[in-house]
Amino acid sequence: MCRRVCYALPPLLLLLLLCAAHQARGRDLPQYLKACSEKDPNVNECALKNGRAAIPYLVKENLTVSYIINYEPFNKGGTDYMKATVVDSRGEVGHLTINLQNLFNGDKFLGENTNKVLNENWKALVEEVGPAMYESDRAIAQNLVDTLFDGVPYRKVVLE
């Protein structure tokens, strides 16, 4: 049985959530992360609510990335685990500030003006590089999800 869960979390939050859970292999989730019941007809809403509640404990950033993750349980060594696939990643940037250092062999005038132009045109920059950025983010999220679910039992993530 395959389930689909949609999350809207900042990518750094996802990274921290996954790393925290990976560090807790075989143990309980951190206090600020709450599990959801798979029998709950509103499991997506529960996951989103609990993910949002954890944000203040982890990050503050002006970027939202939405992930669509398909998952299904599988048995390994008599214990159920979860195989998850990040099928999509899309985002919205509220603002972007760039401060590149040592540009043009340290030419201060060219470096400062380049940063100024990039910062004044951040929306166009995000529009241009956004699709590649989100695909790259999806691949990174997939790697992190694989790492997380490799060692955390299914019932530690999804309650009965």
Side-chain angles (χ1 to χ4, degrees):
M1 117 176 116
C2 182
R3 304 203 185 245
R4 178 171 280 202
V5 179
C6 301
Y7 296 97
L9 301 173
L12 182 56
L13 172 62
L14 177 66
L15 170 67
L16 292 174
L17 287 174
L18 296 175
C19 288
H22 180 65
Q23 292 298 319
R25 282 184 174 206
R27 294 186 279 154
D28 292 331
L29 291 172
Q31 273 189 329
Y32 52 84
L33 294 177
K34 306 294 182 210
C36 296
S37 172
E38 69 181 0
K39 293 179 181 174
D40 181 350
N42 299 313
V43 66
N44 284 352
E45 291 81 4
C46 175
L48 185 58
K49 176 184 164 206
N50 292 342
R52 285 181 176 157
I55 291 172
Y57 294 95
L58 300 171
V59 296
K60 292 184 180 179
E61 346 119 69
N62 209 6
L63 172 67
T64 300
V65 177
S66 298
Y67 300 94
I68 297 176
I69 302 172
N70 289 342
Y71 70 95
E72 58 185 311
F74 71 96
N75 192 285
K76 180 171 77 175
T79 302
D80 285 335
Y81 293 89
M82 188 183 302
K83 173 62 181 154
T85 304
V86 181
V87 294
D88 195 17
S89 173
R90 304 233 185 254
E92 182 178 316
V93 178
H95 185 73
L96 176 67
T97 302
I98 299 171
N99 186 13
L100 302 174
Q101 299 291 313
N102 202 27
L103 296 173
F104 308 105
N105 293 322
D107 185 310
K108 190 173 180 171
F109 177 78
L110 288 175
E112 286 177 359
N113 282 301
T114 299
N115 281 319
K116 182 179 177 186
V117 168
L118 291 172
N119 285 312
E120 288 173 353
N121 297 287
W122 69 269
K123 286 183 183 179
L125 181 63
V126 168
E127 208 172 278
E128 186 67 30
V129 300
M133 180 178 71
Y134 297 124
E135 176 54 29
S136 176
D137 183 60
R138 188 208 59 76
I140 291 167
Q142 181 64 58
N143 187 23
L144 293 170
V145 166
D146 288 344
T147 300
L148 165 70
F149 292 127
D150 179 50
V152 178
Y154 180 76
R155 289 294 172 213
K156 295 271 181 163
V157 179
V158 179
L159 305 174
E160 287 190 84

